[in-house]
Amino acid sequence: MTPADILVVEDEPDLARNIRILLRGYGYASRIATTLAEGLAELAAKQPDILILDIMLPDGNGLEILRKIRLDPAQSNLAVIVLSSLAQKKEIEAGFAVGANAYVPKPYDPEKLLSAIQLLLAEKR
């Protein structure tokens, strides 16, 4: 069985690297994009099983990717976890309103992130 492919769109290099190490430790394959443009290119190249998406990126708002995903019939069922330091109730609600499947605030708890991943993968089966 091939490992789940997870695309991480995160502009903080240390955080992206730590997430990649965490994912690898649990047997997941991962790719990193540091901008919206890179994230969209990665999505076009190969749809992941799960997208972990930061909101505040250097070239725009990550929720823009999420809006595009939800409008694209080929990608509309992609599981998306928003990982953001924007963690006020209204910001979390905004993430769910545009289609997030899960929302994990930064600084993130690795166990919460892994739980969200495992739940979303179980739902896909």
Side-chain angles (χ1 to χ4, degrees), residues 28-109:
Y28 301 119
S30 63
R31 298 176 280 147
I32 304 292
T34 59
T35 65
L36 286 175
E38 287 177 15
L40 289 170
E42 286 289 331
L43 282 170
K46 179 183 177 206
Q47 183 167 320
D49 296 300
I50 293 178
L51 170 63
I52 298 175
L53 179 63
D54 188 11
I55 293 176
M56 296 187 303
L57 295 163
D59 56 342
N61 185 314
L63 295 182
E64 292 304 313
I65 286 181
L66 187 48
R67 283 185 188 97
K68 288 179 182 180
I69 288 168
R70 294 303 178 230
L71 293 173
D72 180 353
Q75 296 182 332
S76 63
N77 291 324
L78 175 62
V80 178
I81 299 170
V82 172
L83 179 68
S84 179
S85 59
L86 300 175
Q88 299 297 319
K89 184 180 182 212
K90 66 180 174 139
E91 295 157 340
I92 293 170
E93 288 172 349
F96 283 115
V98 294
N101 298 91
Y103 200 108
V104 178
K106 291 181 192 175
Y108 81 103
D109 176 343

